[in-house]
Amino acid sequence: METPVSEATDTTTTAVRSRKAQKKAQKASEESATVNEQRSSSMETAVNERHHKLKSDEPIKRSPAEAISERNGAFEEVDDRFSISIRLQFNAATVGLFLLSFLTRFYRITHPRGVVFDEIHFGKFVSLYLKNIFYFDQHPPLGKLMIAGAAGAVGYSGSFEFPKIGSEYDASVPILALRFVPALCGSLLAPIVYSILRQVKLGQGVSILGGLLIILDNALLTHSRFILMESMLLFFAALGILTVLKFLQADPFSARWWTLGTIASASLTAAVCVKFVGFYSYLLAMYIIGRHVWMELPDRRRSNASILLKVITKSLLILGVSLAVYIGCFYLHFATLYKAGPHDNVMTSAFQASLEGGLASITKGQPLRVQHGSQITLKHTHGRVCWLHSHTHVYPIKYKDGRGSSHQQQVTCYGFKDVNNWWIVKRPNKDSLMVDDEPDYIEHGDVIQLVHGVTSRALNSHDVASPMSPLCQEVSCYIDYNISMPANLLWRVELLNGKESKNKWHAITSQVRLVHVNTTAALKYTGEQLPDWGYNQFEVAADRRQQTIDTIWNVEEHRYTQHKDKKDVLNKLLATEMIPTEPTKLSFWNKFSELQLKMLLHADKLESHMYSSEPHEWPLMDKGIAYWIDGDSNAQVHLLGNLVIWYSATMAIVLYVAFLVFYLIRRRREIYDLEPVEWDRFRLGGEIFLAGYLIHYLPYFFMERTLFLYNYLPALLFKVMLLCFVVDHCQLALRKFVKQSTLVIGIFRAIVVAWFSGVLYFFQRYSVLSYGTTALSADDVLELRLKDTWDLIVHKP
C-alpha cells in the first residue's frame, strides 16, 4: 500500500514541478519577448530549432553551412541573453547617474549672467568663429568649435565682445547654448566612470559610488557649468579609456572590434584636439594596449603571424583614425576662419596673405623677387612677432655690468609696424639705391648690404658683446666715428626653402638666414627685452650658432626704390599704404604645418597670478580660484573641490601603494595571498588608475608656466577611480584574511556610509560656491574658509 502512495506522491510532485517549470518558462518567455521585441525572425528560428533538438533524441541531418549558422545563432543567443542581463543593470545605473549629473550641471546654468573667469578668452574665440575671423590659441580648436556650433545653431552672431570678467551679457547672448556643450559633457562623465569601473570587474555598488563621487565633486561641477574646456577634455579622455578596454575584449577583426577601435581612437584624439594635455590620456591608452599585446605573447596557441597581423592592424587603425580626426579638426578650423583678425600677426607673412582683409593680399600689387634697390621689411618668422628695426638712438657707452659697447646706432626687433622697419637691399659694388633698368635679382649665396631706409646707415656686426646676450655679437647700424673700428657691412643670403623658388629670394614665402660675412654669425632675435635705453624693444644680435629657429626671417612688405633723392625715398616710405586688402592663396598643408609649429613655440608664459598654484599644492587643495563675484551680495563662484573626496582619494593612493609593496614582498617570499585572477585584477587597477594619475600629474612639476588648480582635474579623475578600486579591494582583503569577516565587513561598510555622508555634507555646504546663486555675508564667507590659503572674496560686510 505504501508503494502506490509513494508513487502517487512522486507523480504529483513531478507534475507540480512540471507546471511550475512551465509557468517559469512561460514567464521568462514573456519577459524575454518584452525586452527583445526587436529580435529578428532568424534569431527566433534558431532558438526554436534548439528547443526541438532538446525534446527529441533523433539526430537531425544538416549541411555544414546550416551547422555553422546554428553555432553562430547559439553564440549570438547566449551573448544576447548575457548582454540583456547586464544591460538592464548597466542602463539603470548609467541613466540614473546621467540624470542626477544632468540636474546638478544644468540647474540655473544661465546664472551668473556675466563673464566668468576664462569665459573671457573662450567666449571671444567662439564669437570669432561665428564671424569667421582668424584667431590664434596655443591649444587645438575642437572644444571652441563645438561650443561655437551650439551657439550658431540658435542664431548667435558673435556680437558680444567679452570685455572683462564680470561683464553682463546682453540680450543677444544665448547663455544656455554657450554653456550647453561643457555641461552636457560634464553630465556624461559620471556614467562613463561607472562603466570603466564595471569594465575592470568592480562590483556594481562600488561602481555606482564612483559615478556619484564624480557628480558630488564641487570642482568638477563648477568647471562643467561655464564656457570652459576641462569638462570636454575629461569626457573624451574617459570615453577613450572605456572604449579601449572594451576594444581589447572584443573578438579581433569583428565588426564590434573595428567599431570600438575607431571610437577609442577618435575619442582619445578628440581629447588632444580640445587641449594638448589630452595627449597624456592618449599615452595611457597606448600603454594599456601595449600591455595587452605583451600579455598575449606567451600564448603559443597564437602564431607569430597572427599576433603580428593583429598588432599591425591595431596600429594602422589607431594611427589612421587619429590622423583623420586631428587633421579634420584643423581643416574645419581653417575653413571657418578665413578673415584677417587681431591675432593673425602671430603667423608668418605668407599665412597672413591667405586671409581675407587686413594684410591679406600683401603679395598683390608688390614685386615678388627681391633685387638691388628693393625696399623691404624683415619679419622674424617663428615665435614672437616683430620686425627688424633701427632708430637714431645709440647703444650706451657702458652697460650696468661695466661692459662697454660700440656706441653705434641701435638695431632691435620691434613688435609693431613702423616706418623705421624699412631697409633697402644693396649690392656692395653699387652706390645707387635705385632699381636698375636691368633687374639685378638676389639669389641664394649672394652677398648684400642692408641700408636703413630712414637713417641711411648700413646693418653692421663686429666682435663686441651684445648688450643682453654677451655670448652673441652686437648688431648695429654703422656710424663712422673715425676710430679704429672698421665697418663690417656684408651679409650673405641663405635661403632655407630655396628649392621652392629655384634659389631666388622671394617676398613673403622665402625663409632667409642672413650670415655676417666677416664673423660667420647669423642675424638673430634673442628674445631678451632691452632696458629703458632701448625703449623696451627686443634685442637683435649675431650668433655663430646659426642653426636655430630664431635666425630665420622673411620679407613681408616689398617695393622698389625709384627715386634718387633721399627725401623722395623717405616721403614714399611714409606715404605708402602698408596694409593691402585682397587675399592670396596658401595651401591647407602649409597652414596646418605652420600653425602646429606656432602652437608649440608661441606658448605664452603668463606672469604670476594671484590665484595660480603649484602642483604640490593640488592633492590637498591648498588654493582655489575666484571665478566670479557679485559685488552687491558676495555671491560668488570659486573653484574648490570636495575636500572629503580629495583627501580620501589622496589617502587611497598611499593605501594602494602599501598594498602593492606588501603583496610584492610576500610574493617574493613565495607566499601568494591573492589568487592569480585576483592578482591580475589588482595589478590592472593600478596600471590603469595609478598610472593614469601619475601620467596626468607628474609632468606639471617640469612645466615652466603659470599653473592653476583646474590643471589637476584630469589627474583627479583617475584618483577618484583608484579610490573606488581601493574600497573594493579592502572588502576583498577583509573577506579573505579576517576572521569573522561578516562582522568586520559590516563595520567597514558602516564607515564607508559615514564617509559618504561627509561627501554629501561637504558638497551641499560648498555648492554655494559652485552655483553662485546664494547671497553671503562676510561671516558666511569666513565660515566657508576652512584653510588660510583659500582666498575667498568679501566685497560687502
Side-chain angles (χ1 to χ4, degrees):
M1 295 297 293
E2 293 178 358
T3 303
V5 173
S6 177
E7 290 177 354
T9 302
D10 291 344
T11 304
T12 305
T13 303
T14 304
V16 171
R17 288 178 180 173
S18 178
R19 286 194 297 271
K20 287 182 178 180
Q22 289 175 358
K23 288 180 179 180
K24 287 182 179 180
Q26 182 178 2
K27 185 176 179 181
S29 178
E30 291 173 356
E31 290 176 352
S32 177
T34 302
V35 175
N36 299 291
E37 289 178 354
Q38 302 300 323
R39 180 173 292 181
S40 64
S41 60
S42 61
M43 193 65 201
E44 293 173 352
T45 302
V47 173
N48 292 334
E49 287 179 356
R50 276 190 302 280
H51 282 302
H52 179 72
K53 184 176 181 180
L54 291 173
K55 293 177 183 179
S56 175
D57 294 330
E58 296 180 5
I60 300 175
K61 294 182 180 180
R62 294 179 178 86
S63 67
E66 290 174 335
I68 293 172
S69 177
E70 181 179 346
R71 286 197 298 271
N72 290 338
F75 174 78
E76 289 174 0
E77 182 187 1
V78 171
D79 185 62
D80 278 353
R81 285 178 176 173
F82 178 77
S83 298
I84 291 166
S85 174
I86 296 299
R87 190 173 295 122
L88 287 173
Q89 297 175 358
F90 181 87
N91 287 341
T94 53
V95 170
L97 288 170
F98 171 74
L99 291 177
L100 181 58
S101 186
F102 186 90
L103 290 174
T104 58
R105 270 60 183 167
F106 279 87
Y107 172 72
R108 298 192 64 178
I109 195 172
T110 58
H111 179 86
R113 297 190 62 83
V115 180
V116 176
F117 194 56
D118 276 350
E119 284 189 339
I120 190 173
H121 302 300
F122 300 122
K124 284 179 180 177
F125 296 152
V126 169
S127 293
L128 292 173
Y129 269 122
L130 297 173
K131 293 187 287 189
N132 307 113
I133 295 175
F134 179 81
Y135 75 86
F136 175 81
D137 184 30
Q138 65 190 36
H139 288 291
L142 180 60
K144 283 86 72 177
L145 273 169
M146 292 171 63
I147 297 174
V154 297
Y156 177 54
S157 63
S159 58
F160 190 74
E161 298 295 332
F162 294 85
K164 62 180 181 178
I165 297 174
S167 299
E168 290 291 325
Y169 289 123
D170 59 39
S172 68
V173 179
I175 303 175
L176 174 60
L178 287 169
R179 295 174 177 171
F180 176 82
V181 174
L184 180 62
C185 290
S187 303
L188 291 167
L189 185 60
I192 292 176
V193 166
Y194 165 84
S195 300
I196 292 174
L197 295 176
R198 291 293 284 163
Q199 202 64 34
V200 296
K201 310 304 181 186
L202 264 62
Q204 188 174 43
V206 175
S207 301
I208 291 174
L209 174 65
L212 290 174
L213 294 181
I214 297 298
I215 294 171
L216 298 175
D217 183 73
N218 301 72
L220 295 175
L221 169 64
T222 302
H223 239 268
S224 298
R225 289 173 46 80
F226 304 109
I227 312 172
L228 304 172
M229 298 293 109
E230 268 63 29
S231 63
M232 290 178 279
L233 169 66
L234 295 178
F235 165 73
F236 284 121
L239 180 61
I241 297 299
L242 172 62
T243 46
V244 162
L245 296 175
K246 289 178 174 289
F247 170 63
L248 296 177
Q249 294 180 5
D251 291 333
F253 308 110
S254 65
R256 176 181 172 82
W257 187 84
W258 288 104
T259 302
L260 289 172
T262 301
I263 295 174
S265 303
S267 299
L268 293 165
T269 310
V272 179
C273 290
V274 173
K275 273 193 167 184
F276 275 132
V277 292
F279 176 73
Y280 299 142
S281 300
Y282 198 100
L283 188 64
L284 174 64
M286 296 305 103
Y287 166 73
I288 294 171
I289 294 173
R291 178 192 180 277
H292 185 265
V293 173
W294 181 258
M295 298 301 291
E296 284 186 333
L297 291 180
D299 188 354
R300 301 306 296 265
R301 293 173 300 176
R302 294 181 172 90
S303 65
N304 294 339
S306 66
I307 292 176
L308 183 61
L309 176 62
K310 190 176 175 182
V311 169
I312 292 175
T313 306
K314 280 183 181 178
S315 301
L316 292 176
L317 174 63
I318 293 170
L319 182 63
V321 173
S322 297
L323 287 175
V325 171
Y326 190 79
I327 294 172
C329 179
F330 280 93
Y331 184 87
L332 183 59
H333 177 71
F334 291 133
T336 306
L337 304 180
Y338 55 84
K339 296 180 181 178
H343 298 141
D344 62 351
N345 62 357
V346 173
M347 311 306 292
T348 63
S349 303
F351 193 104
Q352 293 179 65
S354 69
L355 300 175
E356 180 183 299
L359 198 62
S361 71
I362 196 166
T363 56
K364 185 178 178 64
Q366 73 174 20
L368 176 64
R369 292 186 60 180
V370 178
Q371 63 167 302
H372 169 80
S374 287
Q375 298 173 14
I376 63 173
T377 62
L378 278 170
K379 183 180 179 183
H380 178 232
T381 302
H382 301 296
R384 179 174 288 274
V385 176
C386 59
W387 290 263
L388 189 67
H389 178 94
S390 187
H391 40 232
T392 56
H393 306 283
V394 296
Y395 292 110
I397 296 176
K398 284 187 178 294
Y399 302 121
K400 284 186 178 181
D401 59 4
R403 291 185 297 112
S405 78
S406 66
H407 202 50
Q408 300 277 316
Q409 181 172 304
Q410 296 175 15
V411 173
T412 66
C413 204
Y414 188 48
F416 301 93
K417 289 185 177 293
D418 187 270
V419 68
N420 282 307
N421 297 347
W422 285 90
W423 301 79
I424 301 174
V425 178
K426 178 181 179 299
R427 290 282 193 186
N429 59 349
K430 292 186 178 181
D431 294 327
S432 171
L433 297 178
M434 288 183 61
V435 174
D436 297 334
D437 293 335
E438 291 293 326
D440 187 4
Y441 295 122
I442 309 298
E443 299 184 2
H444 175 76
D446 286 356
V447 175
I448 63 167
Q449 295 176 340
L450 286 176
V451 179
H452 189 237
V454 174
T455 63
S456 296
R457 293 194 171 108
L459 190 70
N460 176 75
S461 187
H462 38 221
D463 192 15
V464 176
S466 190
M468 308 304 294
S469 305
L471 296 179
C472 298
Q473 294 173 187
E474 179 189 85
V475 172
S476 64
C477 279
Y478 183 74
I479 302 175
D480 185 4
Y481 287 121
N482 211 13
I483 57 176
S484 57
M485 185 175 285
N488 296 319
L489 311 179
L490 302 180
W491 300 83
R492 185 173 64 254
V493 175
E494 293 186 357
L495 301 179
L496 305 184
N497 57 344
K499 290 182 179 180
E500 299 175 7
S501 59
K502 298 180 180 179
N503 285 333
K504 314 297 183 185
W505 190 5
H506 286 177
I508 302 294
T509 57
S510 291
Q511 295 183 5
V512 62
R513 181 177 284 128
L514 296 173
V515 179
H516 192 239
V517 172
N518 300 80
T519 63
T520 70
L523 188 70
K524 177 183 178 180
Y525 160 82
T526 68
E528 300 292 333
Q529 195 166 14
L530 298 171
D532 291 342
W533 56 257
Y535 300 93
N536 301 117
Q537 296 174 20
F538 289 92
E539 181 188 44
V540 170
D543 193 345
R544 284 186 170 87
R545 297 168 297 180
Q546 300 178 10
Q547 307 301 319
T548 69
I549 200 167
D550 285 321
T551 60
I552 301 175
W553 305 79
N554 68 273
V555 173
E556 185 175 86
E557 296 174 80
H558 179 215
R559 52 180 175 264
Y560 292 149
T561 304
Q562 297 175 336
H563 300 277
K564 291 183 180 181
D565 191 272
K566 179 186 173 184
K567 288 185 178 179
D568 293 336
V569 173
L570 182 58
N571 290 335
K572 185 70 173 177
L573 286 171
L574 294 171
T576 302
E577 174 65 41
M578 289 186 177
I579 304 179
T581 56
E582 296 181 11
T584 55
K585 292 182 179 180
L586 189 69
S587 72
F588 163 76
W589 294 110
N590 286 335
K591 286 185 176 182
F592 177 77
S593 58
E594 178 179 332
L595 186 56
Q596 303 309 302
L597 182 62
K598 290 290 184 180
M599 287 191 296
L600 293 175
L601 296 178
H602 206 273
D604 292 332
K605 293 183 179 179
L606 299 175
E607 297 180 1
S608 181
H609 192 281
M610 66 178 297
Y611 288 104
S612 64
S613 55
E614 296 298 324
H616 68 269
E617 299 176 292
W618 297 341
L620 300 181
M621 202 168 60
D622 288 338
K623 201 168 187 179
I625 310 173
Y627 275 14
W628 173 87
I629 186 168
D630 186 340
D632 296 327
S633 66
N634 285 329
Q636 57 190 284
V637 176
H638 199 99
L639 184 70
L640 286 173
N642 190 311
L643 200 68
V644 179
I645 296 176
W646 286 48
Y647 275 54
S648 53
T650 301
M651 292 174 60
I653 294 173
V654 177
L655 191 56
Y656 180 86
V657 173
F659 270 126
L660 180 61
V661 172
F662 173 77
Y663 290 141
L664 288 175
I665 293 174
R666 299 268 290 177
R667 293 174 76 85
R668 188 64 177 171
R669 298 286 296 169
E670 297 186 357
I671 302 172
Y672 301 99
D673 300 296
L674 300 179
E675 300 294 333
V677 174
E678 294 170 340
W679 172 244
D680 289 341
R681 177 180 158 203
F682 180 81
R683 289 176 51 199
L684 179 64
E687 290 174 350
I688 296 175
F689 303 138
L690 181 60
Y693 173 76
L694 296 176
I695 288 172
H696 286 82
Y697 178 47
L698 295 182
Y700 287 104
F701 284 94
F702 307 98
M703 292 185 182
E704 296 182 357
R705 65 184 180 91
T706 305
L707 300 170
F708 296 90
L709 184 63
Y710 60 74
N711 295 121
Y712 188 61
L713 295 182
L716 174 69
L717 177 67
F718 289 93
K719 188 165 79 166
V720 169
M721 289 191 283
L722 183 63
L723 169 61
C724 298
F725 189 86
V726 168
V727 169
D728 185 79
H729 188 73
C730 285
Q731 291 188 92
L732 173 65
L734 293 174
R735 190 178 296 112
K736 285 179 69 72
F737 308 127
V738 176
K739 295 180 180 180
Q740 297 180 340
S741 60
T742 304
L743 175 62
V744 175
I745 290 176
I747 295 173
F748 175 76
R749 290 179 177 174
I751 294 173
V752 171
V753 170
W755 164 80
F756 186 72
S757 300
V759 171
L760 288 171
Y761 170 77
F762 193 96
F763 174 78
Q764 183 274 330
R765 178 171 171 76
Y766 282 84
S767 63
V768 296
L769 299 180
S770 296
Y771 294 110
T773 57
T774 304
L776 302 171
S777 66
D779 291 338
D780 293 333
V781 175
L782 292 176
E783 287 179 6
L784 291 170
R785 192 166 176 256
L786 292 183
K787 305 182 76 169
D788 293 337
T789 52
W790 290 2
D791 297 325
L792 303 180
I793 300 175
V794 178
H795 275 182
K796 297 290 182 181

